[in-house]
Amino acid sequence: MSATTIARQCTLCEAHCGILVTVEDDRVTRIEGNPDDVLSAGYICPKATAMGGLHHDPDRLRTPVRRVGDGFEPIGWDEAFREIGQRLRAIRRAYGPSAIGMYLGNPAAHSSSVIYGGLLRAVLLTRNFYSASSIDQFPQEFVAWRMFGSNVLMPIVDIDRTDRLVILGANPAVSNGSITTMPNAKQRIREVRRRGGKVVVIDPRRTETARLADQHVPVSPGGDVYLLLGMLHVLVTENLCDERAIGTQSTGWAELRALVAEADPERMAGYAGVDADTIRQLAREHAAAPSAVLYARIGVCQQVTGTLTHWLVNTINAVTGNLDRVGGQMFATPPVDAARYAKFLPMGYGAWTDRSGVHKSFRSELPVATLADEILTEGEGRIRAMITYAGNPVLSTPQRGRLGAALDSLDFFVAVDMYITETTRHADIILPPISPLEREDVNILFPLFSVRNNLRYDARVFEPPADGLEDWQIMARMVTEMVPLPARRFTGRALNAVLGQASPVRMATVGVATGPYGVLRRGRKGLSVAKARASAGGIDLGPLEPRLRKLIGTWNRKVRLAPPDFLVAARAVLDEARAGNALTTPVDGYDLKLIGRRHLRSNNSWLHNVPAMVKGRDRCTALMHPADASARGLTDGERVAVTSPTGSIVVPLEISDEIRAGTIAVPHGWGHREPGVGWSVAAALPGANVNLLHDPSLTDTFSGNAAVNNTWVTVTRAPAEAAVPIDVPTVAVTAPQ
Ligand SMILES: Nc1nc2c(c(=O)[nH]1)N[C@H]1C(S)=C(S)[C@@H](COP(=O)(O)OP(=O)(O)OC[C@H]3O[C@@H](n4cnc5c(=O)[nH]c(N)nc54)[C@H](O)[C@@H]3O)O[C@H]1N2
Ligand SMILES: Nc1nc2c(c(=O)[nH]1)N[C@H]1C(S)=C(S)[C@@H](COP(=O)(O)OP(=O)(O)OC[C@H]3O[C@@H](n4cnc5c(=O)[nH]c(N)nc54)[C@H](O)[C@@H]3O)O[C@H]1N2
Ligand code: SF4
Ligand SMILES: [Mo]
């Protein structure tokens, strides 16, 4: 049979690189970068080939399955939806809508099916909605809402035109950028320097990105808030700010100046782990560069100071005149201009809390760190049933090792996933969508955050099986089951027929046609999904343009530099510092700080079943500085126990001076050793679940984002293998009856 090659995108991470997939005899034989792709221009990372591996993976579920004893048996779709409807409606009748919880995972956002996830959530009317966002970008959304009046207005980095790029808590050389979608980040970073610009990386580890930079500043984990306050102090006291930009763009300048009056670098240095001269130099150079931008991502989100840090990042960019300016922080003009309307959506901050009263709702969801508690804690309002959609929270979130038992204790659990994972193995029913290569799509989410405006189309590589469903069709069927309907047997069928016509691609077609470039506004020359479909690699819609004034959702259309509650919290940090107290004091007996790291061939928890993604040396290791290793008499490659007050795991030690002394790094997404998991390749190289070590009660003060990037641990030689209690939470797990 002859080979065919089809252009689409790799949908594994936010970069969505253009790929050319060659198929012979119904098998993927080659995946390469698409040189015509308007954003990735031929670049792919080693993960792209996993798109083929996933499609052909014999472990991938092709039909719905239902629990029988410890295993699963295949069932038909109609039977599955009927049972799901009956069970969930009965639970809702008995205990109310919030007895059904829902968790939405990261890959949901990588197809436009996610629109239907939102619809299901709305129909459920539950207060118990959770997602990976609260261990990811919640602080950035919170800051965007407070400063610019809309959570969607997370500014992105105009990396291709900046003269100075300063990166904190992100490793785009590996992650390829997030909330700044920038495929081939490495090349873009090199280009900054080639243009004569300067690149600085502020990170406790000399990362793959730091190796491309002019300067690496090994900040202490959690030290960024002090470093940035110190920088602001220098900018203010040395009159380095762009007063004209501030005057026309912002309010709150006087309050901000007053706040940082005493945050002198000498005082901040010890807490930041960065000397005062460096803090001064960073501030002066930021102000002096023709254009400059601070870019921060999850390393600083996953901290108790996540919101404060991201606020200071945006603030420094703004007061140096680099907000909404070429080469600074900017806002895209995507083909579906969601940011223009998102400002009208209520954020529901604190509209309700979890039952402990500690965690507030934000954009109408609760922080995921409280999920196991909301299932396990007895009493009124307990979650009795769960729906998970494209998520693996047992591995990806800190729950003191209790989430598996919590899921087992539910009356009913339905998972939408193509694998039997550490999470879905606890389900009563698993509903698998077709493989990504079998779906057609138009991504309208990531152009909101891309470094150039664009519209790209994903073609199907394989025809889906006749009885295959996409995620949105699965969600639509569940919506039908959960909408209160009179005479369900007949009206349900009618609603199904209506929803079945409203595919996300059709919705995107309408959205693009009516959007800023659309045919409805610009006539025949305008943009349409059909034009993107006919293109070789999408349609380039030009560089980012200043447009904050149009988008901003604050009442006076000014940037709020000094939200009062941020000032109070920052003042408290400074008062503590003056009294000699750091934000995170060591817990007795724990002497190292644990941070995370990502690898080029991993993607959170779910690529470890593709052989090409796990070949080579063990990657789930504890990275430690040589001085720390020798102080403990530890050698490279030996097995060590990493223990926190919350749990203990055993992993091999990797010694390298790329990590700051006093800090260790262990990647997340590993720990595939649970019985009954349907990942045969992953189970052979399981690694350990680092989230057993993180304390779920440590969250960002404002948004409730899980603070997993700064945990006190000890590291000791692991006892002999047979005697090792591997991957244990140190708290007993008891499930309610
Ligand atoms: N300690 C620590 N923990 C972290 C992080 C960290 O840095 N440190 N990072 C956090 C971040 S940023 C994120 S985003 C989260 C991710 O957290 P999650 O989203 O909970 O977990 P993933 O590992 O992405 O699991 C995705 C699941 O979706 C399934 N899946 C893949 N594609 C599809 C699809 O198209 N449809 C459906 N229905 N299912 C699909 C996969 O089989 C897998 O089971 O992890 C977070 N956890
Ligand atoms: N290969 C690969 N690519 C991915 C993913 C993946 O799992 N693998 N996941 C995707 C997802 S879901 C996301 S959200 C993005 C995330 O993309 P990034 O934000 O780039 O994520 P990380 O690579 O985890 O980078 C976080 C960095 O923060 C540093 N850090 C930790 N603590 C601190 C601190 O206190 N201060 C400072 N300044 N730095 C700190 C860490 O050392 C690390 O280098 O990546 C996406 N791309
Ligand atoms: S960076 Fe890699 S995983 Fe992400 S979209 Fe591009 S090829 Fe796929
Ligand atoms: Mo993420």
Side-chain angles (χ1 to χ4, degrees), residues 14 106 110 132 135-137 178 297-298 302 598 604 668:
E14 190 176 319
N106 168 274
H110 292 262
I135 185 167
D136 191 336
Q137 82 284 0
S178 175
R297 199 51 190 96
I298 66 160
Q302 296 165 333
R598 281 173 156 75
N604 298 318
H668 72 285

Side-chain angles (χ1 to χ4, degrees), residues 11-12 54 60 103-111 113 131-137 178 297-299 302 368 388-398 415-424 431-436 439 470-471 474-475 594-598 603-608 666-669 672 679 689-692 694 706-709:
T11 51
L12 295 175
L54 289 167
R60 182 168 64 81
Y103 173 85
L104 193 126
N106 168 274
H110 292 262
S111 89
S113 286
S131 78
S133 298
S134 57
I135 185 167
D136 191 336
Q137 82 284 0
S178 175
R297 199 51 190 96
I298 66 160
Q302 296 165 333
V368 70
T388 62
Y389 166 22
N392 193 3
V394 167
L395 290 194
S396 59
T397 66
V416 183
D417 203 298
M418 54 259 242
Y419 284 106
I420 302 174
T421 70
E422 294 72 19
T423 298
T424 65
L431 304 173
I434 54 174
S435 103
R439 66 188 185 216
E470 289 190 42
D471 279 312
I474 296 172
M475 292 292 137
L594 168 65
I595 61 169
R597 72 177 199 271
R598 281 173 156 75
N603 197 33
N604 298 318
S605 77
W606 65 285
L607 290 188
H608 302 148
V666 179
H668 72 285
H672 308 290
W679 273 339
N689 178 4
V690 75
N691 276 317
L692 292 175
H694 298 302
V708 294
N709 244 324

Side-chain angles (χ1 to χ4, degrees), residues 47 169 171 175 202-203 222 224 297 299 303 598-599 602 604:
K47 288 193 294 302
N171 188 10
S175 66
I202 301 172
D203 196 301
D224 307 81
R297 199 51 190 96
Q303 304 278 352
R598 281 173 156 75
H599 189 278
S602 267
N604 298 318

